[in-house]
Amino acid sequence: TTSHQMKSHTSTFYQPFPTLVQLHSKKANKSTNYGPTALEKGKQIHQHITQHKLDSNTKLLNSLIQMYTKCGEPKISTELYDQMIKNNVTPTEITYINILSAISNLGPNALKKGKQIHQ
């Protein structure tokens, strides 16, 4: 397998995950008779991303941050953002839009966290 083939395979492998995470985030934690809530399914996808060491992919992380925020878990979103920074993953404009949305749902801690991210 050449380096180009391997890169292409890896790219194809994780390409659908942002879409899957976004799909589940749109359902925003509504239970159905068919299985887990969107949050539970999103956590399963998150675990899969982590297990396959895809957690340095900004698009995937942005989608996870958005999913957790929409599912009412802004604290997990901010933890993901903090982990991105710790692992030297460069945030994008989309990251900041998603994390600001999460922060706005933190309640009394929102201002403090917002100032921390602004620095």
mmCIF file of all heavy atoms in Angstrom, residues 71-110:
data_model
loop_
_atom_site.group_PDB
_atom_site.id
_atom_site.type_symbol
_atom_site.label_atom_id
_atom_site.label_comp_id
_atom_site.label_asym_id
_atom_site.label_seq_id
_atom_site.Cartn_x
_atom_site.Cartn_y
_atom_site.Cartn_z
ATOM 1 N N CYS A 71 -27.324 18.712 22.359
ATOM 2 C CA CYS A 71 -27.933 17.688 23.213
ATOM 3 C C CYS A 71 -27.946 18.108 24.683
ATOM 4 O O CYS A 71 -28.219 17.302 25.563
ATOM 5 C CB CYS A 71 -27.204 16.357 23.042
ATOM 6 S SG CYS A 71 -27.523 15.550 21.465
ATOM 7 N N GLY A 72 -27.631 19.362 24.948
ATOM 8 C CA GLY A 72 -27.727 19.862 26.315
ATOM 9 C C GLY A 72 -26.546 19.532 27.197
ATOM 10 O O GLY A 72 -26.671 19.494 28.423
ATOM 11 N N GLU A 73 -25.385 19.286 26.592
ATOM 12 C CA GLU A 73 -24.182 18.948 27.354
ATOM 13 C C GLU A 73 -23.053 19.934 27.044
ATOM 14 O O GLU A 73 -21.980 19.550 26.572
ATOM 15 C CB GLU A 73 -23.740 17.520 27.011
ATOM 16 C CG GLU A 73 -24.708 16.448 27.427
ATOM 17 C CD GLU A 73 -24.814 16.272 28.934
ATOM 18 O OE1 GLU A 73 -23.886 16.684 29.661
ATOM 19 O OE2 GLU A 73 -25.839 15.733 29.389
ATOM 20 N N PRO A 74 -23.265 21.227 27.327
ATOM 21 C CA PRO A 74 -22.229 22.207 26.984
ATOM 22 C C PRO A 74 -20.921 22.002 27.746
ATOM 23 O O PRO A 74 -19.851 22.355 27.252
ATOM 24 C CB PRO A 74 -22.868 23.553 27.342
ATOM 25 C CG PRO A 74 -23.892 23.218 28.387
ATOM 26 C CD PRO A 74 -24.399 21.851 28.000
ATOM 27 N N LYS A 75 -21.006 21.409 28.927
ATOM 28 C CA LYS A 75 -19.774 21.164 29.693
ATOM 29 C C LYS A 75 -18.866 20.177 28.951
ATOM 30 O O LYS A 75 -17.650 20.359 28.905
ATOM 31 C CB LYS A 75 -20.112 20.634 31.092
ATOM 32 C CG LYS A 75 -18.889 20.505 31.956
ATOM 33 C CD LYS A 75 -19.205 20.175 33.376
ATOM 34 C CE LYS A 75 -17.885 20.122 34.112
ATOM 35 N NZ LYS A 75 -17.914 19.505 35.357
ATOM 36 N N ILE A 76 -19.455 19.154 28.347
ATOM 37 C CA ILE A 76 -18.654 18.200 27.564
ATOM 38 C C ILE A 76 -18.057 18.915 26.359
ATOM 39 O O ILE A 76 -16.902 18.670 25.995
ATOM 40 C CB ILE A 76 -19.484 16.969 27.139
ATOM 41 C CG1 ILE A 76 -19.954 16.198 28.375
ATOM 42 C CG2 ILE A 76 -18.667 16.051 26.226
ATOM 43 C CD1 ILE A 76 -20.908 15.052 28.078
ATOM 44 N N SER A 77 -18.829 19.817 25.750
ATOM 45 C CA SER A 77 -18.322 20.586 24.608
ATOM 46 C C SER A 77 -17.083 21.385 24.999
ATOM 47 O O SER A 77 -16.082 21.395 24.275
ATOM 48 C CB SER A 77 -19.396 21.546 24.087
ATOM 49 O OG SER A 77 -20.484 20.843 23.571
ATOM 50 N N THR A 78 -17.146 22.045 26.154
ATOM 51 C CA THR A 78 -16.002 22.846 26.581
ATOM 52 C C THR A 78 -14.818 21.964 26.959
ATOM 53 O O THR A 78 -13.669 22.343 26.738
ATOM 54 C CB THR A 78 -16.370 23.794 27.745
ATOM 55 O OG1 THR A 78 -16.832 23.050 28.852
ATOM 56 C CG2 THR A 78 -17.425 24.808 27.304
ATOM 57 N N GLU A 79 -15.088 20.785 27.482
ATOM 58 C CA GLU A 79 -14.004 19.842 27.787
ATOM 59 C C GLU A 79 -13.317 19.389 26.498
ATOM 60 O O GLU A 79 -12.089 19.250 26.454
ATOM 61 C CB GLU A 79 -14.543 18.641 28.559
ATOM 62 C CG GLU A 79 -14.950 18.975 29.986
ATOM 63 C CD GLU A 79 -15.737 17.859 30.665
ATOM 64 O OE1 GLU A 79 -15.999 16.802 30.043
ATOM 65 O OE2 GLU A 79 -16.114 18.058 31.837
ATOM 66 N N LEU A 80 -14.103 19.149 25.441
ATOM 67 C CA LEU A 80 -13.523 18.783 24.149
ATOM 68 C C LEU A 80 -12.650 19.909 23.607
ATOM 69 O O LEU A 80 -11.561 19.674 23.089
ATOM 70 C CB LEU A 80 -14.622 18.466 23.128
ATOM 71 C CG LEU A 80 -15.153 17.056 23.105
ATOM 72 C CD1 LEU A 80 -16.389 16.963 22.212
ATOM 73 C CD2 LEU A 80 -14.089 16.095 22.614
ATOM 74 N N TYR A 81 -13.154 21.138 23.725
ATOM 75 C CA TYR A 81 -12.375 22.293 23.274
ATOM 76 C C TYR A 81 -11.056 22.362 24.055
ATOM 77 O O TYR A 81 -9.988 22.544 23.454
ATOM 78 C CB TYR A 81 -13.170 23.583 23.454
ATOM 79 C CG TYR A 81 -12.347 24.807 23.137
ATOM 80 C CD1 TYR A 81 -12.165 25.219 21.822
ATOM 81 C CD2 TYR A 81 -11.727 25.531 24.160
ATOM 82 C CE1 TYR A 81 -11.383 26.325 21.533
ATOM 83 C CE2 TYR A 81 -10.946 26.633 23.878
ATOM 84 C CZ TYR A 81 -10.773 27.030 22.569
ATOM 85 O OH TYR A 81 -9.984 28.123 22.286
ATOM 86 N N ASP A 82 -11.128 22.232 25.365
ATOM 87 C CA ASP A 82 -9.916 22.272 26.192
ATOM 88 C C ASP A 82 -8.938 21.172 25.778
ATOM 89 O O ASP A 82 -7.725 21.390 25.735
ATOM 90 C CB ASP A 82 -10.271 22.127 27.673
ATOM 91 C CG ASP A 82 -11.014 23.336 28.229
ATOM 92 O OD1 ASP A 82 -10.992 24.418 27.594
ATOM 93 O OD2 ASP A 82 -11.649 23.175 29.303
ATOM 94 N N GLN A 83 -9.464 20.002 25.458
ATOM 95 C CA GLN A 83 -8.621 18.883 25.025
ATOM 96 C C GLN A 83 -7.965 19.204 23.672
ATOM 97 O O GLN A 83 -6.800 18.852 23.453
ATOM 98 C CB GLN A 83 -9.455 17.595 24.920
ATOM 99 C CG GLN A 83 -8.639 16.341 24.835
ATOM 100 C CD GLN A 83 -7.823 16.074 26.089
ATOM 101 O OE1 GLN A 83 -8.257 16.317 27.205
ATOM 102 N NE2 GLN A 83 -6.623 15.577 25.916
ATOM 103 N N MET A 84 -8.720 19.856 22.784
ATOM 104 C CA MET A 84 -8.142 20.273 21.494
ATOM 105 C C MET A 84 -6.915 21.147 21.730
ATOM 106 O O MET A 84 -5.857 20.921 21.136
ATOM 107 C CB MET A 84 -9.154 21.100 20.675
ATOM 108 C CG MET A 84 -10.225 20.344 19.987
ATOM 109 S SD MET A 84 -11.366 21.473 19.108
ATOM 110 C CE MET A 84 -10.341 22.001 17.731
ATOM 111 N N ILE A 85 -7.083 22.142 22.580
ATOM 112 C CA ILE A 85 -5.989 23.080 22.852
ATOM 113 C C ILE A 85 -4.809 22.346 23.482
ATOM 114 O O ILE A 85 -3.658 22.536 23.090
ATOM 115 C CB ILE A 85 -6.468 24.232 23.764
ATOM 116 C CG1 ILE A 85 -7.622 24.994 23.102
ATOM 117 C CG2 ILE A 85 -5.321 25.165 24.132
ATOM 118 C CD1 ILE A 85 -7.333 25.538 21.722
ATOM 119 N N LYS A 86 -5.094 21.483 24.440
ATOM 120 C CA LYS A 86 -4.041 20.715 25.124
ATOM 121 C C LYS A 86 -3.263 19.854 24.127
ATOM 122 O O LYS A 86 -2.053 19.695 24.246
ATOM 123 C CB LYS A 86 -4.672 19.828 26.203
ATOM 124 C CG LYS A 86 -3.678 19.011 26.983
ATOM 125 C CD LYS A 86 -4.363 18.163 28.033
ATOM 126 C CE LYS A 86 -3.373 17.262 28.728
ATOM 127 N NZ LYS A 86 -4.037 16.335 29.650
ATOM 128 N N ASN A 87 -3.966 19.308 23.118
ATOM 129 C CA ASN A 87 -3.336 18.427 22.128
ATOM 130 C C ASN A 87 -2.826 19.180 20.900
ATOM 131 O O ASN A 87 -2.506 18.570 19.881
ATOM 132 C CB ASN A 87 -4.317 17.336 21.691
ATOM 133 C CG ASN A 87 -4.616 16.378 22.813
ATOM 134 O OD1 ASN A 87 -3.821 16.188 23.734
ATOM 135 N ND2 ASN A 87 -5.787 15.755 22.757
ATOM 136 N N ASN A 88 -2.780 20.509 20.996
ATOM 137 C CA ASN A 88 -2.279 21.356 19.906
ATOM 138 C C ASN A 88 -3.057 21.198 18.600
ATOM 139 O O ASN A 88 -2.493 21.274 17.514
ATOM 140 C CB ASN A 88 -0.777 21.121 19.655
ATOM 141 C CG ASN A 88 0.059 21.545 20.833
ATOM 142 O OD1 ASN A 88 -0.172 22.596 21.413
ATOM 143 N ND2 ASN A 88 1.014 20.714 21.203
ATOM 144 N N VAL A 89 -4.356 20.959 18.703
ATOM 145 C CA VAL A 89 -5.223 20.938 17.535
ATOM 146 C C VAL A 89 -5.712 22.371 17.342
ATOM 147 O O VAL A 89 -6.289 22.960 18.256
ATOM 148 C CB VAL A 89 -6.416 19.973 17.715
ATOM 149 C CG1 VAL A 89 -7.337 20.011 16.505
ATOM 150 C CG2 VAL A 89 -5.923 18.557 17.983
ATOM 151 N N THR A 90 -5.460 22.931 16.181
ATOM 152 C CA THR A 90 -5.780 24.335 15.926
ATOM 153 C C THR A 90 -7.270 24.529 15.697
ATOM 154 O O THR A 90 -7.844 23.937 14.786
ATOM 155 C CB THR A 90 -5.003 24.839 14.695
ATOM 156 O OG1 THR A 90 -3.613 24.607 14.907
ATOM 157 C CG2 THR A 90 -5.246 26.317 14.467
ATOM 158 N N PRO A 91 -7.905 25.345 16.535
ATOM 159 C CA PRO A 91 -9.334 25.639 16.341
ATOM 160 C C PRO A 91 -9.547 26.444 15.061
ATOM 161 O O PRO A 91 -8.680 27.206 14.651
ATOM 162 C CB PRO A 91 -9.716 26.470 17.560
ATOM 163 C CG PRO A 91 -8.571 26.394 18.501
ATOM 164 C CD PRO A 91 -7.370 25.999 17.719
ATOM 165 N N THR A 92 -10.696 26.270 14.455
ATOM 166 C CA THR A 92 -11.075 27.037 13.271
ATOM 167 C C THR A 92 -12.180 28.012 13.652
ATOM 168 O O THR A 92 -12.643 28.022 14.795
ATOM 169 C CB THR A 92 -11.597 26.106 12.161
ATOM 170 O OG1 THR A 92 -12.818 25.493 12.615
ATOM 171 C CG2 THR A 92 -10.576 25.025 11.796
ATOM 172 N N GLU A 93 -12.624 28.785 12.675
ATOM 173 C CA GLU A 93 -13.741 29.693 12.917
ATOM 174 C C GLU A 93 -14.975 28.909 13.366
ATOM 175 O O GLU A 93 -15.719 29.342 14.241
ATOM 176 C CB GLU A 93 -14.080 30.491 11.644
ATOM 177 C CG GLU A 93 -13.000 31.462 11.217
ATOM 178 C CD GLU A 93 -11.921 30.816 10.337
ATOM 179 O OE1 GLU A 93 -12.040 29.623 9.970
ATOM 180 O OE2 GLU A 93 -10.938 31.513 10.034
ATOM 181 N N ILE A 94 -15.174 27.746 12.774
ATOM 182 C CA ILE A 94 -16.313 26.890 13.121
ATOM 183 C C ILE A 94 -16.197 26.435 14.573
ATOM 184 O O ILE A 94 -17.184 26.382 15.300
ATOM 185 C CB ILE A 94 -16.414 25.679 12.176
ATOM 186 C CG1 ILE A 94 -16.553 26.133 10.724
ATOM 187 C CG2 ILE A 94 -17.534 24.746 12.586
ATOM 188 C CD1 ILE A 94 -17.787 26.960 10.433
ATOM 189 N N THR A 95 -14.979 26.121 15.002
ATOM 190 C CA THR A 95 -14.761 25.717 16.394
ATOM 191 C C THR A 95 -15.235 26.824 17.328
ATOM 192 O O THR A 95 -15.965 26.562 18.296
ATOM 193 C CB THR A 95 -13.265 25.444 16.667
ATOM 194 O OG1 THR A 95 -12.748 24.545 15.693
ATOM 195 C CG2 THR A 95 -13.062 24.874 18.062
ATOM 196 N N TYR A 96 -14.845 28.067 17.021
ATOM 197 C CA TYR A 96 -15.213 29.180 17.887
ATOM 198 C C TYR A 96 -16.718 29.427 17.889
ATOM 199 O O TYR A 96 -17.301 29.714 18.928
ATOM 200 C CB TYR A 96 -14.441 30.446 17.506
ATOM 201 C CG TYR A 96 -12.977 30.336 17.874
ATOM 202 C CD1 TYR A 96 -11.993 30.332 16.899
ATOM 203 C CD2 TYR A 96 -12.583 30.219 19.205
ATOM 204 C CE1 TYR A 96 -10.651 30.219 17.229
ATOM 205 C CE2 TYR A 96 -11.248 30.091 19.549
ATOM 206 C CZ TYR A 96 -10.287 30.101 18.559
ATOM 207 O OH TYR A 96 -8.971 29.971 18.889
ATOM 208 N N ILE A 97 -17.354 29.297 16.738
ATOM 209 C CA ILE A 97 -18.815 29.451 16.678
ATOM 210 C C ILE A 97 -19.478 28.392 17.558
ATOM 211 O O ILE A 97 -20.370 28.695 18.353
ATOM 212 C CB ILE A 97 -19.318 29.352 15.222
ATOM 213 C CG1 ILE A 97 -18.874 30.580 14.436
ATOM 214 C CG2 ILE A 97 -20.836 29.181 15.172
ATOM 215 C CD1 ILE A 97 -19.050 30.448 12.937
ATOM 216 N N ASN A 98 -19.031 27.140 17.420
ATOM 217 C CA ASN A 98 -19.616 26.047 18.200
ATOM 218 C C ASN A 98 -19.359 26.200 19.688
ATOM 219 O O ASN A 98 -20.247 25.969 20.516
ATOM 220 C CB ASN A 98 -19.096 24.698 17.704
ATOM 221 C CG ASN A 98 -19.656 24.309 16.358
ATOM 222 O OD1 ASN A 98 -20.746 24.715 15.981
ATOM 223 N ND2 ASN A 98 -18.909 23.512 15.619
ATOM 224 N N ILE A 99 -18.140 26.609 20.057
ATOM 225 C CA ILE A 99 -17.820 26.690 21.480
ATOM 226 C C ILE A 99 -18.519 27.893 22.114
ATOM 227 O O ILE A 99 -18.934 27.833 23.280
ATOM 228 C CB ILE A 99 -16.289 26.678 21.733
ATOM 229 C CG1 ILE A 99 -15.993 26.280 23.188
ATOM 230 C CG2 ILE A 99 -15.642 27.989 21.401
ATOM 231 C CD1 ILE A 99 -16.450 24.907 23.579
ATOM 232 N N LEU A 100 -18.700 28.971 21.368
ATOM 233 C CA LEU A 100 -19.447 30.109 21.912
ATOM 234 C C LEU A 100 -20.894 29.731 22.181
ATOM 235 O O LEU A 100 -21.476 30.150 23.187
ATOM 236 C CB LEU A 100 -19.370 31.306 20.969
ATOM 237 C CG LEU A 100 -18.030 32.031 20.964
ATOM 238 C CD1 LEU A 100 -17.997 33.087 19.862
ATOM 239 C CD2 LEU A 100 -17.729 32.649 22.317
ATOM 240 N N SER A 101 -21.447 28.916 21.314
ATOM 241 C CA SER A 101 -22.806 28.418 21.540
ATOM 242 C C SER A 101 -22.860 27.573 22.809
ATOM 243 O O SER A 101 -23.781 27.693 23.612
ATOM 244 C CB SER A 101 -23.268 27.604 20.331
ATOM 245 O OG SER A 101 -24.563 27.113 20.532
ATOM 246 N N ALA A 102 -21.857 26.728 22.990
ATOM 247 C CA ALA A 102 -21.800 25.890 24.196
ATOM 248 C C ALA A 102 -21.665 26.760 25.445
ATOM 249 O O ALA A 102 -22.375 26.552 26.436
ATOM 250 C CB ALA A 102 -20.623 24.916 24.107
ATOM 251 N N ILE A 103 -20.777 27.736 25.388
ATOM 252 C CA ILE A 103 -20.534 28.602 26.541
ATOM 253 C C ILE A 103 -21.799 29.350 26.947
ATOM 254 O O ILE A 103 -22.072 29.529 28.132
ATOM 255 C CB ILE A 103 -19.390 29.590 26.246
ATOM 256 C CG1 ILE A 103 -18.074 28.827 26.172
ATOM 257 C CG2 ILE A 103 -19.310 30.686 27.296
ATOM 258 C CD1 ILE A 103 -16.930 29.658 25.640
ATOM 259 N N SER A 104 -22.579 29.757 25.963
ATOM 260 C CA SER A 104 -23.792 30.515 26.285
ATOM 261 C C SER A 104 -24.788 29.687 27.084
ATOM 262 O O SER A 104 -25.691 30.232 27.704
ATOM 263 C CB SER A 104 -24.445 31.028 25.004
ATOM 264 O OG SER A 104 -25.011 29.959 24.260
ATOM 265 N N ASN A 105 -24.603 28.377 27.100
ATOM 266 C CA ASN A 105 -25.487 27.486 27.850
ATOM 267 C C ASN A 105 -24.899 27.029 29.179
ATOM 268 O O ASN A 105 -25.445 26.150 29.833
ATOM 269 C CB ASN A 105 -25.819 26.252 26.998
ATOM 270 C CG ASN A 105 -26.670 26.603 25.816
ATOM 271 O OD1 ASN A 105 -27.759 27.136 25.964
ATOM 272 N ND2 ASN A 105 -26.162 26.331 24.621
ATOM 273 N N LEU A 106 -23.780 27.621 29.586
ATOM 274 C CA LEU A 106 -23.122 27.209 30.833
ATOM 275 C C LEU A 106 -23.680 27.882 32.075
ATOM 276 O O LEU A 106 -23.321 27.518 33.186
ATOM 277 C CB LEU A 106 -21.617 27.479 30.760
ATOM 278 C CG LEU A 106 -20.791 26.535 29.916
ATOM 279 C CD1 LEU A 106 -19.326 26.988 29.901
ATOM 280 C CD2 LEU A 106 -20.883 25.101 30.415
ATOM 281 N N GLY A 107 -24.504 28.868 31.894
ATOM 282 C CA GLY A 107 -25.059 29.558 33.062
ATOM 283 C C GLY A 107 -24.051 30.494 33.684
ATOM 284 O O GLY A 107 -23.374 31.240 32.982
ATOM 285 N N PRO A 108 -23.907 30.446 35.026
ATOM 286 C CA PRO A 108 -23.043 31.394 35.725
ATOM 287 C C PRO A 108 -21.566 31.298 35.326
ATOM 288 O O PRO A 108 -20.820 32.239 35.507
ATOM 289 C CB PRO A 108 -23.205 31.037 37.207
ATOM 290 C CG PRO A 108 -24.253 30.009 37.295
ATOM 291 C CD PRO A 108 -24.602 29.552 35.921
ATOM 292 N N ASN A 109 -21.148 30.171 34.798
ATOM 293 C CA ASN A 109 -19.742 29.994 34.420
ATOM 294 C C ASN A 109 -19.437 30.498 33.018
ATOM 295 O O ASN A 109 -18.300 30.458 32.571
ATOM 296 C CB ASN A 109 -19.346 28.522 34.513
ATOM 297 C CG ASN A 109 -19.444 27.990 35.917
ATOM 298 O OD1 ASN A 109 -19.158 28.703 36.873
ATOM 299 N ND2 ASN A 109 -19.870 26.750 36.052
ATOM 300 N N ALA A 110 -20.448 30.973 32.301
ATOM 301 C CA ALA A 110 -20.291 31.351 30.894
ATOM 302 C C ALA A 110 -19.266 32.465 30.703
ATOM 303 O O ALA A 110 -18.387 32.360 29.844
ATOM 304 C CB ALA A 110 -21.636 31.758 30.305
#
